[in-house]
Amino acid sequence: MGTRAIERLAEAIGYPDRIPEGATSFILRTDGMEIAAAEDGRRLTLSCALGDGDFDLDELARLAAGRMLREDAALAYGAFPPFGGAGAARRAFLWQDVPADADRHGLLRLFETFADSCDWWRERVDGIAAHADESVPETMMIRP
């Protein structure tokens, strides 16, 4: 049996830590992010939490339709990391997958584009959270 997709991904991106033999899920810590990788035999899925929930999820969802045209990553809300564990919590996250038998180049490309998408989304979340406490002063409101 060949190496698992998670192990090939780690090798393709030059991940410094060893992936446990036979692991079907693993958290990759890189560039200040935690990217969860999970393999089910047919697909390798990457996911990344976009924040701790202190932002307007509706605002984030409004951005999703336009981003679907630009990237393969999808916005989701649910348990993160998706493969469970003691630290799983409900939050907004981004996910993307490829066939588990993707070659080294495909896995590297997946990781690079996914990390770029995560950066873009995390910037939006930071912006939404920063403006969450701002409200329009009462004197500026237009009332009927």
Coordinates of all heavy atoms in Angstrom, one line a residue, residues 99-134:
P99 N -9.2 14.7 -4.9 CA -9.1 13.2 -4.8 C -7.9 12.8 -4.0 O -6.8 13.4 -4.1 CB -9.0 12.7 -6.3 CG -9.6 13.9 -7.1 CD -9.2 15.1 -6.3
A100 N -8.0 11.8 -3.2 CA -6.9 11.3 -2.3 C -5.7 10.8 -3.2 O -4.6 10.8 -2.7 CB -7.4 10.2 -1.4
D101 N -6.0 10.4 -4.4 CA -4.9 9.9 -5.3 C -4.2 11.0 -6.1 O -3.4 10.8 -7.0 CB -5.3 8.8 -6.2 CG -6.4 9.2 -7.1 OD1 -6.9 10.4 -7.1 OD2 -6.8 8.4 -8.0
A102 N -4.5 12.3 -5.7 CA -3.8 13.4 -6.4 C -2.3 13.3 -6.3 O -1.8 12.9 -5.3 CB -4.3 14.8 -5.9
D103 N -1.7 13.8 -7.4 CA -0.2 13.7 -7.4 C 0.4 14.8 -6.6 O -0.3 15.7 -6.1 CB 0.4 13.8 -8.8 CG 0.1 15.1 -9.6 OD1 -0.4 16.0 -8.9 OD2 0.3 15.1 -10.8
R104 N 1.7 14.8 -6.4 CA 2.4 15.8 -5.6 C 2.1 17.2 -6.0 O 1.8 18.1 -5.2 CB 3.9 15.5 -5.7 CG 4.8 16.5 -4.9 CD 6.2 16.2 -5.2 NE 7.1 17.3 -4.6 CZ 7.6 17.3 -3.4 NH1 7.4 16.3 -2.6 NH2 8.3 18.3 -3.0
H105 N 2.1 17.5 -7.3 CA 1.8 18.8 -7.8 C 0.4 19.2 -7.4 O 0.1 20.4 -7.0 CB 2.0 18.9 -9.3 CG 1.7 20.2 -9.9 ND1 2.4 21.4 -9.7 CD2 0.6 20.6 -10.6 CE1 1.8 22.4 -10.3 NE2 0.7 22.0 -10.9
G106 N -0.6 18.3 -7.6 CA -2.0 18.6 -7.2 C -2.2 18.9 -5.8 O -2.9 19.8 -5.4
L107 N -1.5 18.2 -4.9 CA -1.5 18.4 -3.5 C -0.9 19.7 -3.1 O -1.5 20.5 -2.3 CB -0.9 17.3 -2.7 CG -1.6 15.9 -2.8 CD1 -0.7 14.8 -2.2 CD2 -3.0 16.0 -2.2
L108 N 0.2 20.1 -3.7 CA 0.9 21.3 -3.4 C 0.0 22.5 -3.9 O -0.2 23.5 -3.2 CB 2.2 21.4 -4.1 CG 3.1 22.7 -4.0 CD1 3.4 22.9 -2.5 CD2 4.3 22.6 -4.8
R109 N -0.6 22.4 -5.1 CA -1.5 23.4 -5.6 C -2.7 23.6 -4.7 O -3.1 24.7 -4.4 CB -1.9 23.1 -7.0 CG -2.8 24.0 -7.6 CD -2.1 25.0 -8.6 NE -3.1 25.8 -9.3 CZ -3.3 27.0 -9.0 NH1 -2.5 27.6 -8.2 NH2 -4.2 27.7 -9.7
L110 N -3.3 22.5 -4.2 CA -4.4 22.5 -3.3 C -4.0 23.3 -2.1 O -4.7 24.3 -1.7 CB -4.8 21.1 -2.9 CG -5.8 21.1 -1.7 CD1 -7.2 21.6 -2.0 CD2 -5.8 19.6 -1.1
F111 N -2.9 23.0 -1.5 CA -2.5 23.7 -0.2 C -2.3 25.1 -0.5 O -2.7 26.0 0.3 CB -1.3 23.0 0.4 CG -1.0 23.5 1.7 CD1 -1.6 23.0 2.8 CD2 -0.1 24.5 1.9 CE1 -1.4 23.5 4.1 CE2 0.2 25.0 3.2 CZ -0.5 24.5 4.3
E112 N -1.6 25.5 -1.5 CA -1.2 26.9 -1.8 C -2.5 27.7 -2.0 O -2.7 28.8 -1.5 CB -0.3 27.0 -3.0 CG 1.1 26.5 -2.7 CD 2.0 26.5 -4.0 OE1 1.4 26.5 -5.1 OE2 3.2 26.4 -3.8
T113 N -3.4 27.2 -2.9 CA -4.6 28.0 -3.2 C -5.5 28.0 -2.0 O -6.2 29.1 -1.7 CB -5.4 27.5 -4.4 OG1 -5.7 26.1 -4.2 CG2 -4.5 27.6 -5.7
F114 N -5.6 27.0 -1.2 CA -6.4 26.9 0.0 C -5.9 27.9 1.0 O -6.6 28.7 1.6 CB -6.5 25.5 0.6 CG -7.4 25.5 1.8 CD1 -8.8 25.5 1.6 CD2 -6.9 25.3 3.0 CE1 -9.7 25.5 2.7 CE2 -7.8 25.3 4.1 CZ -9.1 25.3 4.0
A115 N -4.6 27.9 1.3 CA -4.0 28.9 2.2 C -4.2 30.3 1.8 O -4.5 31.2 2.6 CB -2.5 28.6 2.4
D116 N -4.2 30.6 0.5 CA -4.5 32.0 0.0 C -5.9 32.3 0.3 O -6.2 33.4 0.7 CB -4.2 32.1 -1.5 CG -2.7 32.1 -1.8 OD1 -1.9 32.3 -0.9 OD2 -2.4 31.8 -3.0
S117 N -6.8 31.4 0.1 CA -8.2 31.6 0.3 C -8.5 31.9 1.8 O -9.2 32.8 2.2 CB -9.1 30.4 -0.1 OG -9.0 30.2 -1.5
C118 N -7.8 31.1 2.7 CA -7.9 31.3 4.1 C -7.5 32.7 4.5 O -8.1 33.3 5.3 CB -7.1 30.2 4.9 SG -7.8 28.5 4.7
D119 N -6.4 33.1 4.0 CA -5.9 34.5 4.3 C -6.9 35.5 3.9 O -7.2 36.4 4.7 CB -4.6 34.7 3.5 CG -3.4 34.0 4.1 OD1 -3.4 33.6 5.2 OD2 -2.4 33.9 3.3
W120 N -7.5 35.4 2.7 CA -8.5 36.4 2.3 C -9.7 36.4 3.2 O -10.1 37.4 3.7 CB -9.0 36.0 0.8 CG -9.9 37.1 0.3 CD1 -9.5 38.2 -0.5 CD2 -11.3 37.2 0.4 NE1 -10.6 38.9 -0.8 CE2 -11.7 38.3 -0.3 CE3 -12.3 36.4 1.0 CZ2 -13.0 38.7 -0.4 CZ3 -13.6 36.8 0.9 CH2 -14.0 38.0 0.2
W121 N -10.2 35.2 3.5 CA -11.4 35.1 4.4 C -11.1 35.6 5.8 O -11.9 36.2 6.4 CB -11.9 33.7 4.4 CG -12.8 33.3 3.2 CD1 -12.4 32.7 2.1 CD2 -14.1 33.6 3.1 NE1 -13.4 32.6 1.2 CE2 -14.5 33.2 1.8 CE3 -15.1 34.3 3.9 CZ2 -15.8 33.3 1.3 CZ3 -16.4 34.4 3.4 CH2 -16.7 33.9 2.1
R122 N -9.9 35.3 6.3 CA -9.5 35.7 7.7 C -9.4 37.2 7.7 O -9.8 37.8 8.8 CB -8.3 35.0 8.1 CG -8.5 33.5 8.4 CD -7.3 32.7 8.6 NE -6.4 33.2 9.6 CZ -6.1 32.6 10.7 NH1 -6.6 31.5 11.0 NH2 -5.3 33.2 11.6
E123 N -8.9 37.8 6.7 CA -8.9 39.3 6.6 C -10.3 39.9 6.7 O -10.6 40.9 7.3 CB -8.2 39.8 5.4 CG -6.7 39.6 5.4 CD -6.0 39.9 4.1 OE1 -6.7 40.5 3.2 OE2 -4.9 39.6 3.9
R124 N -11.3 39.3 6.0 CA -12.6 39.7 6.0 C -13.2 39.6 7.4 O -13.9 40.4 7.9 CB -13.5 38.9 5.0 CG -13.1 39.0 3.6 CD -13.1 40.3 2.9 NE -12.0 41.2 3.0 CZ -10.8 41.0 2.4 NH1 -10.5 39.9 1.7 NH2 -9.8 41.9 2.5
V125 N -13.0 38.4 8.0 CA -13.5 38.2 9.4 C -12.9 39.2 10.4 O -13.6 39.8 11.2 CB -13.1 36.7 9.9 CG1 -13.4 36.6 11.4 CG2 -14.0 35.7 9.1
D126 N -11.6 39.5 10.2 CA -11.0 40.5 11.1 C -11.7 41.9 10.9 O -11.9 42.6 11.8 CB -9.5 40.6 10.8 CG -8.7 39.4 11.3 OD1 -9.3 38.6 12.1 OD2 -7.6 39.2 10.9
G127 N -12.0 42.2 9.6 CA -12.6 43.5 9.3 C -14.0 43.5 9.9 O -14.5 44.6 10.4
I128 N -14.8 42.4 9.8 CA -16.1 42.4 10.3 C -16.1 42.5 11.8 O -16.9 43.2 12.4 CB -16.8 41.1 9.8 CG1 -17.1 41.1 8.3 CG2 -18.2 40.9 10.6 CD1 -17.5 39.8 7.8
A129 N -15.2 41.8 12.4 CA -15.1 41.8 13.9 C -14.7 43.2 14.4 O -15.2 43.7 15.4 CB -14.1 40.8 14.4
A130 N -13.8 43.9 13.6 CA -13.4 45.2 14.0 C -14.5 46.3 14.0 O -14.5 47.2 14.7 CB -12.2 45.7 13.1
H131 N -15.4 46.1 13.0 CA -16.5 47.0 12.9 C -17.8 46.6 13.6 O -18.8 47.3 13.5 CB -16.8 47.2 11.4 CG -15.7 47.9 10.7 ND1 -14.7 47.2 10.1 CD2 -15.4 49.2 10.5 CE1 -13.8 48.0 9.6 NE2 -14.2 49.3 9.8
A132 N -17.8 45.5 14.3 CA -19.0 45.0 14.9 C -19.5 45.9 16.0 O -20.7 46.0 16.2 CB -18.7 43.6 15.5
D133 N -18.6 46.6 16.7 CA -19.0 47.5 17.8 C -19.4 48.9 17.3 O -19.9 49.7 18.1 CB -17.9 47.6 18.8 CG -17.7 46.3 19.5 OD1 -18.6 45.5 19.6 OD2 -16.5 46.0 20.0
E134 N -19.1 49.2 16.0 CA -19.4 50.5 15.5 C -20.9 50.5 15.2 O -21.5 49.6 14.6 CB -18.7 50.8 14.2 CG -17.2 50.9 14.5 CD -16.4 51.1 13.2 OE1 -17.1 51.3 12.1 OE2 -15.2 51.1 13.2

